Amino acid sequence: MISIIKQRNLWWSISAGVILVGFLAMAISWGSPGIGAPLRPGLDFVGGTRLQLDLDCTEVGNCDQPIEIVKVREVTDRLGIANPNIQITGEDGTGVSIRTKDLDVEERTELQNSLAEAIGTFDVTQTQIDTVGPTLGRQLFTSGLLALLVAFAGITLYLNFRFQLDYAFFAFVALFHDVFVTMGVFSILGLIAGVEIDSLFIVSLLTIIGFSVNDTVVIYDRVRETLQFYPEKHINDVVDEAVNQTLMRSLNTSITTILPLVAIFFLGGETLKFFALALIVGFISGAYSSIFIASTLLAWWREKTGRAILATVTEGEGEILDSTPTTD
């Protein structure tokens, strides 16, 4: 049997280290002039126009060299487009993504023609143009945050009703753990690779907390069930037993869920790529927090509050002498 409790300081240290690195990345991102937020916001949240252009590689010699970001910036500067966000895309660097202020049809056409003259012919079938107004962007961001807060509140109320306040609180801590880990990873990706978050990222966070709380409830339900039948057991033994009984179920569920997401990440195209990545990171974090964080924190708290053993037993007779009132 694996002893989760004995190594709980290690589990907590790993989580604290990952979250601290994420917070550091978010602080750097917030202070960066080109970002100004904990995570690099996408078009959905800040508004503006985004052009995704790919060179037409059917033309001889058109894709021999990757696109140079300097040439793209020279074109945008010449057209008076201030502070564009430019990223080279594609495995061979034959695509470019430009996010800038809201451009009308004439300005977009002029930009495309100027880029074609400076870089090469673009494949019109692969061209993507998205435009979002700043008001709609703010509404999407506000609605996303509200959805997260409502989800957290609903889960906390349910767990408090289903179990007890300490169960609900530490499940809540585990959910925050998963959200912060996912946000930290994407903050790092935003700094290193220019990865942006959009409305799908909010959807992924909602999905992650739903997945994570499911694993946590399974473990907590086993803890509560064991305490009902064996109130004389120490909480550390109860938690270790509960985790070991549900460990393979949690791992199998996580692995079978993550495998399709890996396929989507590699084969699902650019639109779903980072949505799948957010779910992969969150599901791994959720399985980890349910097994190593939520359960060990509950045991630690019960020890600190003098409820490590709910009842004592007489020697030889097995009769419960002193029982602490509980709703478990």
Side-chain angles (χ1 to χ4, degrees):
M1 186 174 75
I2 302 172
S3 180
I4 304 297
I5 297 297
K6 286 183 180 179
Q7 302 294 328
R8 64 187 177 191
N9 288 334
L10 173 62
W11 316 134
W12 296 349
S13 298
I14 292 172
S15 291
V18 172
I19 291 173
L20 283 174
V21 171
F23 276 143
L24 179 61
M26 284 188 270
I28 294 172
S29 179
W30 201 316
S32 299
I35 304 176
L39 291 87
R40 187 183 292 271
L43 186 69
D44 288 0
F45 297 137
V46 296
T49 297
R50 178 175 56 202
L51 285 84
Q52 176 69 48
L53 306 171
D54 292 283
L55 291 173
D56 186 357
C57 294
T58 60
E59 288 195 10
V60 179
N62 200 42
C63 296
D64 289 349
Q65 298 294 329
I67 296 173
E68 296 180 18
I69 197 169
V70 175
K71 290 184 178 180
V72 179
R73 195 167 296 279
E74 286 175 355
V75 172
T76 57
D77 288 345
R78 189 174 70 250
L79 296 177
I81 299 174
N83 301 319
N85 183 285
I86 303 170
Q87 293 178 307
I88 304 302
T89 61
E91 294 182 0
D92 300 323
T94 55
V96 61
S97 174
I98 304 172
R99 194 190 74 197
T100 182
K101 65 177 184 177
D102 191 13
L103 302 176
D104 58 30
V105 176
E106 184 179 338
E107 289 172 324
R108 293 199 301 265
T109 303
E110 185 180 8
L111 176 58
Q112 286 178 261
N113 292 336
S114 299
L115 288 171
E117 291 175 5
I119 298 171
T121 305
F122 291 105
D123 185 352
V124 293
T125 63
Q126 298 297 321
T127 299
Q128 298 179 26
I129 302 175
D130 304 306
T131 300
V132 175
T135 301
L136 178 59
R138 286 193 295 270
Q139 289 176 349
L140 286 170
F141 181 72
T142 303
S143 300
L145 285 182
L146 181 61
L148 279 174
L149 291 175
V150 169
F152 274 119
I155 288 171
T156 304
L157 287 174
Y158 168 75
L159 290 174
N160 190 35
F161 174 77
R162 174 77 184 272
F163 297 99
Q164 286 184 348
L165 181 59
D166 52 357
Y167 286 84
F169 178 77
F170 292 118
F172 192 74
V173 171
L175 294 182
F176 263 104
H177 168 279
D178 303 334
V179 169
F180 285 140
V181 167
T182 307
M183 289 178 63
V185 169
F186 271 75
S187 182
I188 294 170
L189 290 175
L191 291 172
I192 296 174
V195 174
E196 300 175 345
I197 63 164
D198 54 18
S199 53
L200 281 178
F201 184 75
I202 302 295
V203 175
S204 71
L205 292 182
L206 290 167
T207 308
I208 287 164
I209 63 176
F211 177 87
S212 177
V213 78
N214 177 66
D215 262 357
T216 304
V217 165
V218 169
I219 294 173
Y220 278 176
D221 203 44
R222 191 58 56 89
V223 170
R224 185 180 62 171
E225 184 180 281
T226 304
L227 287 174
Q228 286 176 339
F229 286 101
Y230 305 101
E232 74 281 0
K233 276 192 172 185
H234 195 283
I235 187 64
N236 288 349
D237 297 329
V238 171
V239 168
D240 269 344
E241 185 177 325
V243 169
N244 277 274
Q245 288 175 354
T246 58
L247 183 61
M248 289 310 300
R249 175 197 179 281
S250 296
L251 292 178
N252 289 335
T253 301
S254 299
I255 292 170
T256 53
T257 306
I258 289 171
L259 285 176
L261 292 174
V262 172
I264 293 173
F265 177 76
F266 286 108
L267 305 174
E270 289 296 321
T271 305
L272 295 176
K273 182 176 184 178
F274 292 110
F275 172 69
L277 179 60
L279 291 180
I280 291 170
V281 173
F283 285 2
I284 293 173
S285 176
Y288 181 89
S289 67
S290 296
I291 297 169
F292 300 106
I293 304 300
S295 58
T296 55
L297 282 174
L298 177 66
W300 169 82
W301 176 252
R302 289 287 174 107
E303 279 188 296
K304 291 295 182 182
T305 55
R307 293 186 294 161
I309 301 176
L310 296 182
T312 56
V313 181
T314 57
E315 291 186 8
E317 297 183 2
E319 180 185 355
I320 296 178
L321 286 178
D322 179 29
S323 180
T324 304
T326 177
T327 58
D328 285 341

